[in-house]
Amino acid sequence: MRNHSAVREFVLLGLSTDPDIQPALFVLFLLVYLLTVVGNSLMLLVIAADSHLHTPMYFFLRQLSFLDLCHSSVTAPKMLENLLSEEKTILVESCLAQAFFVFATGGTEACLLAAMAYDRYVAIGSPLLYSQVMSSQLCVGLVWLSWCLAVVDALLNTLLAVSLDFCEDQTIPHFSCELSSLFPLSCSDTTANFILLLCSSVVHFFGTLVMIVCSYGRIVTTVLRVSSSTGRSKAFSTCLSHLTTVILFYGSGFISYLLPASGSPLEKVFSLQYSLITPMLNPLIYSLKNKEVKAALGRMIRKHV
C-alpha cells in the first residue's frame, strides 16, 4: 500500500543553489516585488480618485492592476523567504494552495485581457455606440465571468491533484509550486491530471488568445478603412499598451508551459517574466504610454502638494 504520509513537504530549489549569489538575488527581487506593489497600488489609487478615468477601459485596467498584485504576491514572498533560508521547504498542502492561486490568477488575467481586447474593438469599431455597448453591467459581468471561469478551472485541476500520492522525490526544481511541476513527483497515475491540465490550457488560454487575435483582426480591418494617417496612428496608439501586455503575458507564459518541467535556467527566466516582471512592467506600460493616466497622476500630485 502507498504511504500517504511519506512526503509531508517539498523542497523548492529556487532560482539558484549557490549560497553566494542568493543574497544578491534576494535584494534584486525584493526591489522588483516592491516596485510591483507600489506601481499597481498607485495605478489603483489614481484610477479610483480621478473621475476622468471612470470609463470601461480604465475599469478593466484597475482590475488588471489588482490581478497583478495578487499574481505576484502568490509567488514572490515564498521565493524571497527561500532565498534567505537554509531549509527551502513548503508543506504539500501549502504547495497545492499556491498552485491553485497561480492558476486562478493567471487564468483570470487571460480572460481579462480578452475582455480588454473586445473593449478596444468596440471603442474603435463603434465609437458612437461605445458607451451603450460597454455598459457598467457588461463590464462588471465580464470581470465576474473571468474570475468564475478561472477559479472553477483551477479548482478542478487542484482537487484532482489533491488525490495524488507523493512518495518519491520531493524536490521541485523551481521557485514556486505549479501543477505541471508536481506531476513528476507523484507515484500515482497522473494521466488524468495531465489530460485535464492540457484541456484546461487549450480551452482557457488558447481560447482567450483566439478571442484577442480576432478582436485585433477586426481592429486592423477597421483602422485600415480610415483615410487619415493621423486617425490611423491615433487608433493604433490606443491599443499599443494592451498589445504590449498581451505579448509579454502570453509569450512568456506559453513558452514557460511548453518547456519541460526540468528546472532549466531558461524555464525559470520565462516563469519569472510572467509571474514577477510583467506585473511590475504593466503600470509603467500603461502610464508612460497613456496621456490620460499621466494627466490624472499630475492632478493628484498637485492636489496633495
Side-chain angles (χ1 to χ4, degrees):
M1 293 181 66
R2 293 186 179 120
N3 186 356
H4 288 253
S5 61
V7 174
R8 296 297 305 160
E9 56 187 22
F10 297 126
V11 176
L12 288 168
L13 291 184
L15 297 173
S16 173
T17 56
D18 187 350
D20 294 329
I21 67 170
Q22 286 179 358
L25 289 174
F26 173 82
V27 173
L28 174 62
F29 287 105
L30 177 62
L31 181 61
V32 168
Y33 181 56
L34 290 176
L35 288 173
T36 301
V37 172
V38 171
N40 284 287
S41 298
L42 186 60
M43 189 67 74
L44 287 169
L45 182 62
V46 169
I47 295 174
D50 198 298
S51 60
H52 295 86
L53 302 183
H54 293 175
T55 63
M57 174 182 170
Y58 293 105
F59 171 79
F60 288 124
L61 181 54
R62 186 170 59 177
Q63 306 305 317
L64 181 64
S65 294
F66 175 71
L67 266 174
D68 283 338
L69 275 175
C70 295
H71 193 64
S72 58
S73 296
V74 170
T75 56
K78 185 61 181 177
M79 182 190 73
L80 292 170
E81 177 193 337
N82 285 347
L83 284 172
L84 296 181
S85 173
E86 293 184 4
E87 295 183 0
K88 307 178 187 302
T89 58
I90 183 172
L91 293 173
V92 172
E93 294 82 1
S94 299
C95 190
L96 288 169
Q98 188 182 62
F100 166 79
F101 285 112
V102 167
F103 200 109
T105 54
T108 304
E109 186 156 343
C111 292
L112 188 64
L113 289 173
M116 293 173 76
Y118 176 71
D119 170 73
R120 290 299 82 209
Y121 163 66
V122 175
I124 293 172
S126 307
L128 298 178
L129 299 175
Y130 177 66
S131 59
Q132 297 179 14
V133 175
M134 299 304 298
S135 62
S136 59
Q137 292 86 352
L138 178 63
C139 294
V140 171
L142 288 173
V143 170
W144 274 108
L145 182 63
S146 299
W147 274 104
C148 290
L149 288 175
V151 168
V152 169
D153 202 2
L155 195 60
L156 290 174
N157 280 274
T158 307
L159 287 177
L160 191 61
V162 167
S163 63
L164 295 175
D165 296 321
F166 298 102
C167 46
E168 293 183 353
D169 185 18
Q170 59 180 8
T171 302
I172 299 176
H174 212 288
F175 60 87
S176 66
C177 293
E178 296 185 10
L179 289 172
S180 57
S181 62
L182 297 181
F183 297 161
L185 306 181
S186 175
C187 51
S188 306
D189 183 9
T190 59
T191 303
N193 301 78
F194 179 78
I195 292 174
L196 179 59
L197 182 61
L198 182 62
C199 292
S200 298
S201 301
V202 169
V203 173
H204 204 126
F205 292 96
F206 282 96
T208 53
L209 182 60
V210 168
M211 294 178 192
I212 293 172
V213 171
C214 289
S215 294
Y216 272 101
R218 293 181 177 182
I219 288 172
V220 171
T221 304
T222 302
V223 171
L224 290 178
R225 295 198 192 111
V226 178
S227 56
S228 168
S229 59
T230 305
R232 286 197 297 269
S233 62
K234 184 178 180 180
F236 279 127
S237 66
T238 62
C239 303
L240 185 59
S241 298
H242 177 260
L243 193 58
T244 304
T245 300
V246 167
I247 292 171
L248 287 173
F249 178 80
Y250 279 93
S252 56
F254 280 143
I255 293 173
S256 175
Y257 273 94
L258 287 174
L259 290 173
S262 60
S264 65
L266 188 62
E267 181 193 359
K268 292 179 182 178
V269 166
F270 284 114
S271 294
L272 281 170
Q273 172 67 47
Y274 79 83
S275 60
L276 288 175
I277 306 301
T278 299
M280 180 193 69
L281 292 177
N282 280 343
L284 295 175
I285 292 169
Y286 278 96
S287 60
L288 295 177
K289 298 287 186 181
N290 193 304
K291 294 180 180 179
E292 292 179 328
V293 172
K294 287 191 287 187
L297 183 59
R299 286 192 294 269
M300 189 176 74
I301 292 173
R302 287 193 298 270
K303 184 178 178 181
H304 292 87
V305 171

